[in-house]
Short mmCIF file of all heavy atoms in Angstrom, two decimals:
data_model
loop_
_atom_site.label_atom_id
_atom_site.label_comp_id
_atom_site.label_asym_id
_atom_site.label_seq_id
_atom_site.Cartn_x
_atom_site.Cartn_y
_atom_site.Cartn_z
N LEU S 1 14.98 7.72 5.80
CA LEU S 1 14.13 8.62 6.63
C LEU S 1 13.23 7.87 7.62
O LEU S 1 12.40 8.47 8.31
CB LEU S 1 13.21 9.50 5.73
CG LEU S 1 13.91 10.53 4.83
CD1 LEU S 1 12.91 11.10 3.79
CD2 LEU S 1 14.58 11.61 5.69
N GLY S 2 13.37 6.55 7.55
CA GLY S 2 12.57 5.72 8.50
C GLY S 2 11.17 5.31 7.97
O GLY S 2 10.33 4.82 8.72
N VAL S 3 10.95 5.52 6.71
CA VAL S 3 9.71 5.14 6.09
C VAL S 3 9.76 3.70 5.67
O VAL S 3 10.74 3.23 5.01
CB VAL S 3 9.42 6.03 4.87
CG1 VAL S 3 8.12 5.54 4.15
CG2 VAL S 3 9.25 7.47 5.28
N ARG S 4 8.74 2.89 5.92
CA ARG S 4 8.68 1.51 5.45
C ARG S 4 8.25 1.50 4.01
O ARG S 4 7.29 2.20 3.67
CB ARG S 4 7.71 0.72 6.32
CG ARG S 4 7.56 -0.76 5.90
CD ARG S 4 6.67 -1.50 6.87
NE ARG S 4 6.52 -2.93 6.40
CZ ARG S 4 5.55 -3.36 5.71
NH1 ARG S 4 4.62 -2.56 5.21
NH2 ARG S 4 5.55 -4.67 5.38
N VAL S 5 8.97 0.76 3.17
CA VAL S 5 8.66 0.78 1.75
C VAL S 5 8.04 -0.44 1.24
O VAL S 5 8.42 -1.57 1.70
CB VAL S 5 9.91 1.23 0.87
CG1 VAL S 5 10.32 2.62 1.24
CG2 VAL S 5 11.01 0.21 1.15
N ILE S 6 7.17 -0.36 0.31
CA ILE S 6 6.63 -1.51 -0.47
C ILE S 6 7.15 -1.37 -1.92
O ILE S 6 6.91 -0.38 -2.57
CB ILE S 6 5.09 -1.47 -0.51
CG1 ILE S 6 4.56 -1.46 0.93
CG2 ILE S 6 4.54 -2.71 -1.28
CD1 ILE S 6 3.07 -1.12 1.00
N LEU S 7 7.95 -2.32 -2.35
CA LEU S 7 8.64 -2.27 -3.59
C LEU S 7 7.77 -3.04 -4.65
O LEU S 7 7.52 -4.20 -4.53
CB LEU S 7 10.00 -2.92 -3.54
CG LEU S 7 10.90 -2.44 -2.32
CD1 LEU S 7 12.17 -3.20 -2.24
CD2 LEU S 7 11.20 -0.93 -2.56
N VAL S 8 7.42 -2.32 -5.79
CA VAL S 8 6.60 -2.84 -6.78
C VAL S 8 7.40 -2.79 -8.11
O VAL S 8 7.85 -1.76 -8.47
CB VAL S 8 5.31 -2.13 -6.92
CG1 VAL S 8 4.45 -2.73 -8.09
CG2 VAL S 8 4.51 -2.18 -5.60
N ALA S 9 7.39 -3.89 -8.87
CA ALA S 9 7.97 -4.01 -10.25
C ALA S 9 7.68 -5.38 -10.73
O ALA S 9 7.20 -6.24 -9.97
CB ALA S 9 9.48 -3.65 -10.20
N ARG S 10 8.02 -5.60 -11.94
CA ARG S 10 7.82 -6.97 -12.53
C ARG S 10 8.84 -8.02 -12.00
O ARG S 10 8.51 -9.17 -11.81
CB ARG S 10 7.93 -6.95 -14.05
CG ARG S 10 6.84 -6.16 -14.73
CD ARG S 10 6.90 -6.27 -16.18
NE ARG S 10 8.20 -5.84 -16.71
CZ ARG S 10 8.63 -6.03 -17.95
NH1 ARG S 10 7.85 -6.52 -18.83
NH2 ARG S 10 9.81 -5.63 -18.33
N ASP S 11 10.11 -7.55 -11.87
CA ASP S 11 11.18 -8.49 -11.54
C ASP S 11 11.24 -8.75 -10.04
O ASP S 11 11.88 -7.97 -9.34
CB ASP S 11 12.49 -7.93 -12.12
CG ASP S 11 13.60 -8.92 -12.18
OD1 ASP S 11 13.64 -9.79 -11.27
OD2 ASP S 11 14.44 -8.84 -13.06
N GLU S 12 10.74 -9.83 -9.61
CA GLU S 12 10.75 -10.23 -8.17
C GLU S 12 12.13 -10.39 -7.65
O GLU S 12 12.49 -10.11 -6.50
CB GLU S 12 9.91 -11.41 -7.89
CG GLU S 12 9.73 -11.75 -6.42
CD GLU S 12 8.69 -12.83 -6.14
OE1 GLU S 12 8.20 -13.38 -7.15
OE2 GLU S 12 8.36 -13.00 -4.99
N HIS S 13 13.09 -10.99 -8.46
CA HIS S 13 14.45 -11.22 -8.08
C HIS S 13 15.17 -9.93 -7.74
O HIS S 13 15.79 -9.80 -6.66
CB HIS S 13 15.21 -12.01 -9.15
CG HIS S 13 16.61 -12.23 -8.76
ND1 HIS S 13 17.05 -13.14 -7.85
CD2 HIS S 13 17.78 -11.63 -9.28
CE1 HIS S 13 18.37 -13.13 -7.77
NE2 HIS S 13 18.84 -12.19 -8.61
N ARG S 14 14.99 -8.92 -8.64
CA ARG S 14 15.67 -7.70 -8.37
C ARG S 14 15.02 -6.93 -7.19
O ARG S 14 15.74 -6.27 -6.44
CB ARG S 14 15.58 -6.82 -9.63
CG ARG S 14 16.39 -7.39 -10.84
CD ARG S 14 16.38 -6.44 -12.02
NE ARG S 14 17.13 -5.22 -11.69
CZ ARG S 14 17.36 -4.28 -12.58
NH1 ARG S 14 16.93 -4.40 -13.78
NH2 ARG S 14 18.12 -3.27 -12.29
N LEU S 15 13.72 -7.05 -7.02
CA LEU S 15 13.10 -6.47 -5.87
C LEU S 15 13.56 -7.04 -4.55
O LEU S 15 13.86 -6.32 -3.61
CB LEU S 15 11.59 -6.59 -5.93
CG LEU S 15 10.87 -5.80 -7.05
CD1 LEU S 15 9.41 -6.11 -6.98
CD2 LEU S 15 11.08 -4.27 -6.90
N SER S 16 13.75 -8.33 -4.57
CA SER S 16 14.27 -9.06 -3.35
C SER S 16 15.60 -8.61 -3.02
O SER S 16 16.00 -8.46 -1.84
CB SER S 16 14.16 -10.61 -3.53
OG SER S 16 12.77 -10.97 -3.71
N ALA S 17 16.48 -8.45 -4.07
CA ALA S 17 17.89 -8.01 -3.84
C ALA S 17 17.89 -6.64 -3.24
O ALA S 17 18.64 -6.30 -2.34
CB ALA S 17 18.63 -8.04 -5.15
N LEU S 18 17.00 -5.74 -3.76
CA LEU S 18 16.96 -4.43 -3.20
C LEU S 18 16.41 -4.45 -1.77
O LEU S 18 16.89 -3.67 -0.92
CB LEU S 18 16.05 -3.55 -4.12
CG LEU S 18 15.86 -2.05 -3.65
CD1 LEU S 18 17.18 -1.33 -3.57
CD2 LEU S 18 14.84 -1.35 -4.56
N ALA S 19 15.48 -5.28 -1.49
CA ALA S 19 14.90 -5.34 -0.17
C ALA S 19 15.95 -5.77 0.81
O ALA S 19 16.10 -5.28 1.99
CB ALA S 19 13.72 -6.31 -0.13
N THR S 20 16.84 -6.69 0.41
CA THR S 20 17.92 -7.19 1.25
C THR S 20 18.85 -6.01 1.56
O THR S 20 19.36 -5.83 2.66
CB THR S 20 18.64 -8.33 0.60
OG1 THR S 20 17.74 -9.43 0.39
CG2 THR S 20 19.80 -8.82 1.46
N GLU S 21 19.20 -5.26 0.49
CA GLU S 21 20.04 -4.05 0.65
C GLU S 21 19.53 -3.12 1.64
O GLU S 21 20.19 -2.53 2.45
CB GLU S 21 20.30 -3.42 -0.65
CG GLU S 21 21.07 -2.09 -0.57
CD GLU S 21 20.94 -1.21 -1.84
OE1 GLU S 21 20.74 -1.80 -2.94
OE2 GLU S 21 20.89 -0.05 -1.73
N LEU S 22 18.18 -2.83 1.56
CA LEU S 22 17.56 -1.83 2.37
C LEU S 22 17.29 -2.18 3.86
O LEU S 22 17.06 -1.36 4.69
CB LEU S 22 16.29 -1.36 1.71
CG LEU S 22 16.34 -0.74 0.31
CD1 LEU S 22 15.01 -0.42 -0.22
CD2 LEU S 22 17.22 0.53 0.42
N THR S 23 17.27 -3.54 4.08
CA THR S 23 16.93 -3.99 5.45
C THR S 23 17.85 -3.52 6.48
O THR S 23 17.55 -2.59 7.27
CB THR S 23 16.78 -5.50 5.48
OG1 THR S 23 15.76 -5.92 4.53
CG2 THR S 23 16.29 -5.93 6.82
N ARG S 24 19.07 -3.99 6.49
CA ARG S 24 20.21 -3.48 7.34
C ARG S 24 19.70 -3.07 8.72
O ARG S 24 19.88 -2.01 9.22
CB ARG S 24 20.84 -2.33 6.67
CG ARG S 24 21.57 -2.73 5.38
CD ARG S 24 22.24 -1.53 4.74
NE ARG S 24 22.86 -1.89 3.56
CZ ARG S 24 23.48 -1.02 2.78
NH1 ARG S 24 23.51 0.28 3.03
NH2 ARG S 24 24.03 -1.40 1.59
N GLY S 25 18.97 -3.97 9.39
CA GLY S 25 18.50 -3.75 10.71
C GLY S 25 17.21 -3.00 10.82
O GLY S 25 16.52 -2.98 11.87
N ALA S 26 16.67 -2.41 9.75
CA ALA S 26 15.43 -1.75 9.75
C ALA S 26 14.33 -2.70 9.42
O ALA S 26 14.58 -3.91 9.15
CB ALA S 26 15.45 -0.58 8.68
N THR S 27 13.12 -2.25 9.42
CA THR S 27 12.01 -3.10 9.01
C THR S 27 12.17 -3.54 7.54
O THR S 27 12.42 -2.71 6.68
CB THR S 27 10.66 -2.38 9.21
OG1 THR S 27 10.55 -1.98 10.57
CG2 THR S 27 9.51 -3.31 8.75
N ALA S 28 12.07 -4.79 7.32
CA ALA S 28 12.28 -5.31 5.93
C ALA S 28 11.19 -4.77 4.97
O ALA S 28 10.07 -4.77 5.29
CB ALA S 28 12.25 -6.84 5.92
N PRO S 29 11.59 -4.29 3.80
CA PRO S 29 10.60 -3.82 2.82
C PRO S 29 9.74 -4.95 2.40
O PRO S 29 10.07 -6.13 2.45
CB PRO S 29 11.52 -3.34 1.63
CG PRO S 29 12.82 -3.01 2.25
CD PRO S 29 13.03 -4.09 3.38
N GLU S 30 8.50 -4.61 1.95
CA GLU S 30 7.60 -5.56 1.41
C GLU S 30 7.80 -5.60 -0.07
O GLU S 30 7.97 -4.57 -0.77
CB GLU S 30 6.15 -5.07 1.74
CG GLU S 30 5.06 -5.98 1.22
CD GLU S 30 3.69 -5.53 1.57
OE1 GLU S 30 3.57 -4.70 2.49
OE2 GLU S 30 2.74 -5.92 0.82
N VAL S 31 7.85 -6.80 -0.57
CA VAL S 31 8.03 -6.98 -2.05
C VAL S 31 6.74 -7.42 -2.73
O VAL S 31 6.13 -8.38 -2.31
CB VAL S 31 9.15 -8.04 -2.32
CG1 VAL S 31 9.20 -8.44 -3.82
CG2 VAL S 31 10.48 -7.51 -1.89
N LEU S 32 6.37 -6.67 -3.74
CA LEU S 32 5.10 -6.94 -4.39
C LEU S 32 5.41 -7.00 -5.92
O LEU S 32 5.40 -5.95 -6.54
CB LEU S 32 4.03 -5.91 -4.07
CG LEU S 32 2.66 -6.03 -4.71
CD1 LEU S 32 2.10 -7.42 -4.39
CD2 LEU S 32 1.76 -4.94 -4.16
N ALA S 33 5.64 -8.10 -6.44
CA ALA S 33 5.96 -8.32 -7.87
C ALA S 33 4.71 -8.30 -8.67
O ALA S 33 3.70 -9.02 -8.44
CB ALA S 33 6.69 -9.62 -8.14
N ALA S 34 4.61 -7.31 -9.62
CA ALA S 34 3.37 -7.17 -10.37
C ALA S 34 3.69 -6.44 -11.70
O ALA S 34 4.46 -5.52 -11.73
CB ALA S 34 2.38 -6.40 -9.65
N ASP S 35 3.06 -6.85 -12.79
CA ASP S 35 3.13 -6.21 -14.06
C ASP S 35 1.97 -5.23 -14.15
O ASP S 35 0.78 -5.65 -14.35
CB ASP S 35 3.06 -7.22 -15.20
CG ASP S 35 3.28 -6.56 -16.56
OD1 ASP S 35 3.27 -5.33 -16.66
OD2 ASP S 35 3.45 -7.36 -17.55
N LEU S 36 2.22 -3.96 -14.10
CA LEU S 36 1.17 -2.98 -14.13
C LEU S 36 0.45 -2.83 -15.43
O LEU S 36 -0.50 -2.09 -15.55
CB LEU S 36 1.65 -1.66 -13.56
CG LEU S 36 2.17 -1.64 -12.10
CD1 LEU S 36 2.58 -0.25 -11.68
CD2 LEU S 36 1.20 -2.21 -11.15
N THR S 37 1.01 -3.41 -16.51
CA THR S 37 0.37 -3.35 -17.78
C THR S 37 -0.67 -4.45 -17.93
O THR S 37 -1.33 -4.52 -18.95
CB THR S 37 1.41 -3.47 -18.90
OG1 THR S 37 2.05 -4.69 -18.91
CG2 THR S 37 2.46 -2.31 -18.86
#
């Protein structure tokens, strides 16, 4: 939909892989690895 996303989870490697998938010419997602517990 054209929304820029900030991806949050514990696993930075998986977040980075998802960010790469989502970029595809669009603005690259921001990755924020964090354990919310």
Side-chain angles (χ1 to χ4, degrees):
L1 293 171
V3 176
R4 180 175 180 266
V5 295
I6 305 169
L7 308 174
V8 177
R10 293 185 305 173
D11 193 326
E12 186 169 8
H13 176 74
R14 295 186 67 175
L15 290 179
S16 297
L18 178 61
T20 299
E21 172 198 328
L22 295 177
T23 301
R24 296 180 181 175
T27 302
E30 181 180 338
V31 170
L32 181 54
D35 182 352
L36 298 183
T37 62

